[in-house]
Amino acid sequence: MKAAPWFILGVPAILAIAALPARAATTQVIYSFAGGVDGEYTDTDVAMDGAGNLYGTSVQGGTHASGTVWMLSPSGDSWTHTVLYNFTGGADGSEPYKGVTLDTQGNLYGTAVTGGGGGCEGGCGVAYKLTNNGGSWTQSVIHTFTGGEDGAGPGARLTVGDDGDVYGMAPTGGAFGAGTIYRIHPSKHGAWKLSVIHAFTGGADGIGGSAGAMLFRGRHLYGAATAGGANGEGAIFELTPAKTGEGKYKAIYAFKGEPDGAFPYGGLAFDALGNLYGTTYYDGEDEVGTVFQLTPTQKGAWKEKTLYSFQGGSDGANSIGNVVFDNTGNLYGTTSEGGSGGSGVIFKLAPLSRREWQESVVHSFAGPPDGAFAYNGMVGDGAGNFYGATVHGGAQDEGAIYKFTP
């Protein structure tokens, strides 16, 4: 039935509505990892498909103790956990950090920081694809890193372009030993070819990529170099891939250190106006990290503003993950430490004006059976809920997946 216009309501009804308390935010652990074959240490971003299934990785555990790719499927008020792949620690890789990325066909892409082969002790890592064949999953390695010019230890979450190319970052190796940005291109015959589209020099362009996935906007990729930059404190970059060879790389902001932020580990987020948002792990006014905004100017430069400096107490400290928006323009994110229990928080930044934002803690992780130590940000489901992972906590203290509703 169509709702009546507001002006038909009587004064008593209006007063009754105004007196209703605001709905309290809720945080619920929807799955606790048990360790062993179930998986453990869930340092993972969470991906969601159109059916509401969640996907991620566990760095350890599984049948070969080398990590897993998992799926959580909603069923009424509960969730069913399924291991989609168990890494063996051999040519297929080991220690899959930061989760997986879906393509438009429902296949998954990710990286493992060790295993594979190459000139690194324990292997230099792999990029892999999990192909979905009607619910049956097959893993294939799309690149084995050598530790040479292609890079090593690829711990960043992957980005899948509209053309099917896969983009990622490796923190070490490359032509200058400072890491790489790479593209892996599929051929018509099923083979994949990696090309380096930027080799970090360790100078003003940065050192190593962050763990967060790069973002496409237009023809440009945006991401973070955790260290290096003009001031040695990390940088945010824009990269325009070329058809062949290296792309056009530009550091659009170099962090300056205290009271500015330093060392951006997480991914970035755009708002509708084209502003960029993210977090830093260090510095700020109290040396435990910041939330920042980058605004493009008409002259092509970017202007940075620190929206919040963490204090290291109950408000949280040392954010590693990305931030996400709700439908009214509030920002939400996590910290890896701090909070009333010392195990990290979920925080909210509400815009009071164009220049002022107010921070509040909407959940402090308390450890078992609650989550503990949120090393990653969250993903929204479009219905007002957000999902994320903690590396510890849960019923067995082996990691947890949680649902947060503001």
Side-chain angles (χ1 to χ4, degrees):
M1 183 176 69
K2 185 177 181 181
W6 68 270
F7 51 79
I8 294 178
L9 293 172
V11 171
I14 294 174
L15 293 177
I17 292 172
L20 289 174
R23 183 181 68 180
T26 60
T27 304
Q28 173 192 6
V29 171
I30 61 173
Y31 189 75
S32 295
F33 286 84
V37 296
D38 190 54
E40 58 191 85
Y41 198 80
T42 44
D43 186 352
T44 179
D45 287 343
V46 175
M48 174 177 279
D49 66 17
N53 301 304
L54 303 177
Y55 301 86
T57 56
S58 71
V59 177
Q60 300 170 355
T63 55
H64 306 285
S66 295
T68 70
V69 180
W70 51 261
M71 176 177 70
L72 284 177
S73 301
S75 177
D77 294 330
S78 63
W79 293 77
T80 300
H81 171 257
T82 304
V83 174
L84 303 182
Y85 186 73
N86 289 284
F87 290 88
T88 70
D92 62 335
S94 180
E95 298 181 296
Y97 280 83
K98 296 304 173 184
V100 290
T101 302
L102 284 152
D103 69 11
T104 55
Q105 287 78 44
N107 305 305
L108 303 174
Y109 297 82
T111 61
V113 301
T114 60
C120 315
E121 183 177 355
C124 297
V126 305
Y128 62 87
K129 176 182 180 181
L130 277 178
T131 303
N132 183 3
N133 295 305
S136 176
W137 298 82
T138 303
Q139 197 251 25
S140 56
V141 172
I142 61 175
H143 183 73
T144 299
F145 288 85
T146 68
E149 291 196 1
D150 58 340
R157 188 180 179 190
L158 296 176
T159 300
V160 180
D162 292 338
D163 57 359
D165 287 354
V166 177
Y167 298 82
M169 294 183 281
T172 58
F176 305 98
T180 64
I181 303 173
Y182 57 84
R183 172 175 56 202
I184 309 177
H185 176 73
S187 73
K188 295 180 180 180
H189 305 291
W192 294 76
K193 180 180 179 181
L194 181 141
S195 57
V196 174
I197 57 176
H198 182 73
F200 289 103
T201 67
D205 63 333
I207 301 174
S210 76
M214 293 178 287
L215 296 178
F216 259 114
R217 188 175 178 87
R219 299 183 300 108
H220 310 298
L221 277 169
Y222 294 86
T226 297
N231 305 304
E233 307 284 358
I236 306 300
F237 64 79
E238 174 190 276
L239 174 62
T240 307
K243 290 184 178 181
T244 59
E246 291 217 1
K248 182 180 179 181
Y249 181 96
K250 178 171 68 173
I252 61 175
Y253 185 73
F255 290 96
K256 303 172 184 176
E258 187 182 1
D260 190 19
F263 303 143
Y265 279 91
L268 305 173
F270 274 105
D271 68 13
L273 299 177
N275 302 309
L276 270 172
Y277 299 80
T279 64
T280 65
Y281 187 76
Y282 282 132
D283 287 345
E285 294 178 358
D286 294 283
E287 300 184 350
V288 288
T290 67
V291 183
F292 64 87
Q293 177 194 64
L294 285 173
T295 303
T297 68
Q298 292 181 346
K299 296 182 179 180
W302 292 72
K303 183 179 180 181
E304 191 259 4
K305 177 179 175 59
T306 298
L307 302 183
Y308 186 74
S309 286
F310 293 98
Q311 300 169 18
S314 61
D315 66 329
N318 307 117
S319 179
I320 305 177
N322 61 290
V323 291
V324 289
F325 284 96
D326 68 12
N327 293 331
T328 60
N330 299 306
L331 274 175
Y332 294 89
T334 63
T335 67
S336 64
E337 300 179 25
S340 58
S343 299
V345 307
I346 302 173
F347 64 84
K348 172 184 177 181
L349 280 177
L352 303 180
S353 66
R354 288 187 176 183
R355 297 185 178 182
E356 186 179 2
W357 295 67
Q358 182 179 51
E359 194 258 11
S360 58
V361 172
V362 292
H363 183 73
S364 285
F365 292 104
D370 190 16
F373 306 111
Y375 285 7
N376 304 272
M378 300 182 290
V379 62
D381 64 2
N385 307 300
F386 298 93
Y387 298 84
T390 62
V391 298
H392 292 298
Q396 286 79 36
D397 203 21
E398 300 287 3
I401 309 300
Y402 63 87
K403 174 184 179 181
F404 165 66
T405 304

